[in-house]
């Protein structure tokens, strides 16, 4: 018994493109679909304090002096996890 598989237009296009490139021996990395990057995780003040192991007043002081980068979302302040991890790596290694 034959199997019938329904594909949406994008999947069909990708499948055909891959088959043509393979048949021609020209499959390149740039022609393959790229995975979507993970969205940036934004931390609250409390989460940032826990990650940096500091108090809220210390975090506020570091934020005002430009040591810790932050993002303002309306009236809320958030901290990019990757920025804080980089800060830990650079400042932690200097001790």
């Amino acid at each position: 018994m034959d199997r019938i598989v329904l594909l949406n237009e994008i999947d069909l296009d990708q499948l055909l493109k891959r088959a043509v490139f393979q048949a021609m021996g020209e499959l390149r990395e740039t022609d393959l679909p790229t995975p979507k990057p993970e969205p940036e995780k934004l931390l609250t003040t409390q989460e940032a304090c826990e990650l940096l192991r500091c108090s809220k007043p210390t975090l506020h002081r570091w934020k005002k002096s430009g040591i810790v980068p932050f993002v303002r979302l309306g009236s809320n302040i958030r901290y990019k996890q990757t920025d804080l991890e980089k800060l830990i790596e650079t400042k932690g290694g200097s001790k």
Side-chain angles (χ1 to χ4, degrees), residues 3 8 11-12 14 17 29 33 35 46 51 70 83 85:
R3 228 171 141 181
N8 65 32
D11 290 339
L12 183 59
Q14 298 270 336
K17 186 185 276 188
E29 289 294 322
Q46 182 62 41
L51 182 64
F70 64 95
D83 287 346
E85 289 170 350

Side-chain angles (χ1 to χ4, degrees), residues 60-72:
H60 180 68
R61 190 172 58 250
W62 289 348
K63 179 182 69 164
K64 282 182 71 172
S65 65
I67 296 171
V68 175
F70 64 95
V71 176
R72 185 178 295 276

Side-chain angles (χ1 to χ4, degrees), residues 9 13 18-20 24 27 33 36-37 40 42 48 50-51 55 58 72 75 79 82 84 86-89 93:
E9 188 176 324
D13 185 50
R18 185 180 296 234
V20 168
M24 294 173 58
L27 183 61
K36 293 181 181 176
E40 182 73 44
L42 297 175
E50 290 171 8
L51 182 64
S55 66
T58 300
R72 185 178 295 276
S75 62
Y79 304 88
T82 54
L84 299 182
K86 287 178 188 173
L87 182 67
I88 292 169
E89 287 176 19

